[in-house]
Amino acid sequence: MMRYSLRGPHRASALLATAVALATVAACSNDSPSGPAGPTTTAAPPSTPPPSPTPTPTPTPSKSYPLSSAPRTVPAVRAHEAARGPGWKPAPTGGVVIAAGSGALADEGQLLAGELGVPYRGAVAAGPGDVELALGGTGAPESYTLTVTGGRVRIAGPDEAGVFYGTRTLKQSVKATGAMPEGTVTDRPAKPQRGLMVDIARKHFTAAWLEDRIREMSDLKLNQLGLHFSDDQGFRIESDSHPEVVSAQHLTKAEVRRILALAAGRHVTVIPEIDSPGHLGAVIAAHPGLQLVSASGRTPRGTVDISNPESAKIVDELLGEYTRLFPGAYWHLGADEYVALMSKNPEASYPKLARAAVAKYGPSGRVQDLATGWLNDRAAVVRPTGKTLKAWNDGFFTGGVVAPAKDIEVEYWTGREIGARLPVSYLSEGRKVVNLNDDYLYYILGEPNRFPYPTGRRIYEQWTPRVLRGSTPVPARYDPQILGGRLAVWCDLSRAQTQDQVAAGIRLPLAALAQKVWDPAPPTLTWADFRVLAAKVR
């Protein structure tokens, strides 16, 4: 609705007409639809009007805005306080500025300015049409407040990651609708660990492909990229300590550093994994003396003899080298699918391991104790770096004389293995768990062993971080111990898809995962609407 005002000098002889007109306009501008004025009587103007003082200027006409709606983003913002106003749109007269004392946000500011097509002006006072980034205030890690008022945007948070996520909200809203609505967004993640894991060991992925995934993930407010770079089929990162184990197709250390630099700028932590004592086929190919041999002479693929000190020596040398290359806060030790422990009677099948277990741990020592000791020893190698340690759930055993170290996080993926423990058994021990439920979050090339490609719709409509195994959630009391979830790309049949097909296949599952680890509430959009929105905000 328009609010009207009369302008210009008044003629003395028109006072009566003006009074009538003002009363009519006032009635029409009282937040109700205006209609035609009723008939009025006007006097004839005199021949010589007396002088009149210039009136005080009145406000220019302005619109009355409806209450704003929440911005359209993936993941959805958790709280939006509506307001009346035009919102904000990128304009050449506006730019991105950094608040006083917030110089650490220069990278975020330059990135956002480039994305929005507006100037970056650095540490200057915010002006009309500007976006201001600011560090400070209280709040949870990775939280932010985004306020749109008076034609400006202010994004503030207690840490750089939070402010960065606020810029993702602004970017996505502009891409989806052309504007950021008036009002205040208050937002934070439900879970601290959110991301993607890629098996780059079985299939070589280029550095450029991984960089594209980092950009995609960060726009979805995902903050972890796992790199499983050693397995039976390949060892995919350049090595100085053991170049003989490296596959022909691999990432150079210069490429890895480039990936790490991009990840750091997008607040994504890269989590490396050298899986052991299983899945070491690429190492064994160069060092066949490390191969485990069963009583019948069988040589299970990728399985090192953990009673052989040389096995530990080479793995520890690799751990030492790559913990220096990767500066992130996490290290994945693997520990899954050690074939010796997948037999019905490990002691009978692998008597050498059985003898070593008794020698090291006494008469009650078993092969599982030897494997748990291996896990703890590798953890001891990495722990001095300050990294948080992770291992797959089937590398944790109960009932032995040796217990896995308490500070190792459980990456729960399977309920299909023989003797697999239920998630509650880990949670009841007080362990922290990350969700990689293979029923929902495993994207396995070629779909072997009845593993269909995960769909974004199924994750969006059925999965939550508490659904760790199958489709049944664990009790709500364990929710604080569940740190988040990651989608996992495994390349068992590496030629089944190209890397571009993988990128297309995981796009919607990643978007759905992002929604479910950011906001614990059931989604408000239908899957059809979410899918359309996910395409708009890319």
Side-chain angles (χ1 to χ4, degrees):
M1 172 177 288
M2 302 296 291
R3 291 191 175 91
Y4 300 92
S5 61
L6 299 179
R7 293 174 172 268
H10 297 272
R11 294 179 181 273
S13 61
L15 291 176
L16 178 60
T18 300
V20 172
L22 284 171
T24 303
V25 171
C28 293
S29 62
N30 187 24
D31 289 334
S32 59
S34 59
T40 60
T41 303
T42 59
S47 57
T48 306
S52 174
T54 302
T56 302
T58 53
T60 57
S62 63
K63 293 181 179 180
S64 177
Y65 295 94
L67 280 174
S68 60
S69 300
R72 293 175 59 77
T73 62
V74 177
V77 301
R78 294 182 62 178
H80 176 255
E81 182 180 346
R84 297 183 188 276
W88 181 89
K89 293 181 179 180
T93 55
V96 177
V97 302
I98 305 300
S102 301
L105 296 172
D107 288 347
E108 287 79 5
Q110 291 168 8
L111 174 65
L112 179 65
E115 292 168 332
L116 297 177
V118 301
Y120 172 71
R121 296 208 299 273
V124 299
D130 280 347
V131 178
E132 182 184 45
L133 308 184
L135 283 173
T138 59
E142 301 182 292
S143 66
Y144 68 93
T145 301
L146 188 160
T147 303
V148 181
T149 186
R152 302 181 188 180
V153 180
R154 178 179 169 85
I155 303 173
D159 56 28
E160 293 176 49
V163 176
F164 175 73
Y165 294 140
T167 69
R168 302 305 87 192
T169 293
L170 178 61
K171 173 190 174 182
Q172 284 198 10
S173 181
V174 169
K175 290 193 75 169
T177 65
M180 182 72 199
E182 200 87 3
T184 300
V185 169
T186 306
D187 207 10
R188 63 183 177 86
K191 296 296 181 183
Q193 298 192 34
R194 313 175 302 277
L196 169 70
M197 189 230 77
V198 183
D199 169 14
I200 66 171
R202 293 183 176 97
K203 182 180 182 70
H204 174 64
F205 289 87
T206 64
W209 189 92
L210 292 168
E211 289 168 335
D212 284 343
R213 302 290 72 70
I214 289 170
R215 296 184 184 97
E216 178 182 10
M217 291 166 55
S218 63
D219 279 356
L220 294 170
K221 303 184 175 78
L222 299 172
N223 64 358
Q224 291 182 341
L225 173 63
L227 293 182
H228 177 93
F229 69 90
S230 170
D231 211 300
D232 298 339
Q233 294 83 352
F235 193 105
R236 301 289 182 178
I237 296 178
E238 177 186 359
S239 173
D240 299 317
S241 66
H242 287 282
E244 74 280 0
V245 307
V246 179
S247 302
Q249 283 189 309
H250 63 270
L251 299 173
T252 67
K253 287 190 174 180
E255 288 176 319
V256 170
R257 292 187 182 101
R258 194 180 80 200
I259 291 167
L260 292 171
L262 175 65
R266 301 302 181 97
H267 300 279
V268 172
T269 297
V270 177
I271 306 175
E273 179 192 355
I274 296 178
D275 201 350
S276 77
H279 297 283
L280 282 172
V283 174
I284 294 171
H287 298 272
L290 305 182
Q291 173 69 56
L292 179 66
V293 181
S294 74
S296 63
R298 190 168 69 92
T299 55
R301 187 180 188 187
T303 307
V304 296
D305 180 354
I306 56 177
S307 69
N308 182 350
E310 289 300 311
S311 297
K313 181 176 182 293
I314 190 171
V315 171
D316 289 349
E317 288 168 351
L318 292 167
L319 290 174
E321 176 179 3
Y322 292 106
T323 52
R324 291 189 297 271
L325 176 63
F326 289 93
Y330 299 90
W331 186 272
H332 204 308
L333 297 164
D336 64 310
E337 295 183 318
Y338 188 54
V339 174
L341 290 168
M342 297 168 69
S343 65
K344 292 182 179 179
N345 189 334
E347 283 70 31
S349 297
Y350 299 94
K352 184 181 179 184
L353 296 184
R355 291 192 297 271
V358 170
K360 189 170 184 178
Y361 299 113
S364 298
R366 294 184 291 165
V367 174
Q368 77 165 56
D369 296 307
L370 206 62
T372 301
W374 171 281
L375 173 64
N376 289 344
D377 290 344
R378 306 295 75 74
V381 170
V382 177
R383 192 176 287 112
T385 67
K387 299 180 189 298
T388 297
L389 301 166
K390 295 173 172 291
W392 298 111
N393 66 284
D394 51 331
F396 293 78
F397 304 100
T398 59
V401 299
V402 183
K406 288 292 187 182
D407 63 342
I408 304 176
E409 293 178 357
V410 179
E411 302 257 303
Y412 196 97
W413 71 279
T414 185
R416 304 189 187 204
E417 298 292 336
I418 297 172
R421 294 163 58 195
L422 293 170
V424 169
S425 68
Y426 302 88
L427 294 165
S428 62
E429 295 173 359
R431 291 192 179 274
K432 296 177 180 179
V433 176
V434 178
N435 192 325
L436 289 96
N437 185 334
D438 61 5
D439 278 348
Y440 289 89
L441 305 178
Y442 261 35
Y443 191 98
I444 307 180
L445 270 58
E447 300 181 299
N449 301 321
R450 296 172 305 188
F451 274 105
Y453 291 127
T455 67
R457 179 170 189 166
R458 191 161 178 256
I459 295 169
Y460 187 78
E461 294 180 344
Q462 300 178 19
W463 181 85
T464 73
R466 285 171 46 210
V467 179
L468 285 158
R469 172 174 170 164
S471 58
T472 303
V474 298
R477 66 180 179 274
Y478 292 120
D479 188 70
Q481 293 171 239
I482 301 171
L483 302 180
R486 291 198 301 280
L487 185 76
V489 175
W490 292 104
C491 302
D492 293 40
L493 301 175
S494 61
R495 297 182 181 179
Q497 289 190 337
T498 66
Q499 62 178 15
D500 289 340
Q501 288 173 322
V502 173
I506 65 175
R507 185 180 66 83
L508 284 173
L510 264 185
L513 173 75
Q515 175 64 42
K516 303 303 282 288
V517 291
W518 186 268
D519 188 351
T524 57
L525 294 180
T526 65
W527 168 248
D529 289 341
F530 179 86
R531 182 172 184 162
V532 170
L533 178 60
K536 285 184 177 180
V537 301
R538 289 191 69 189

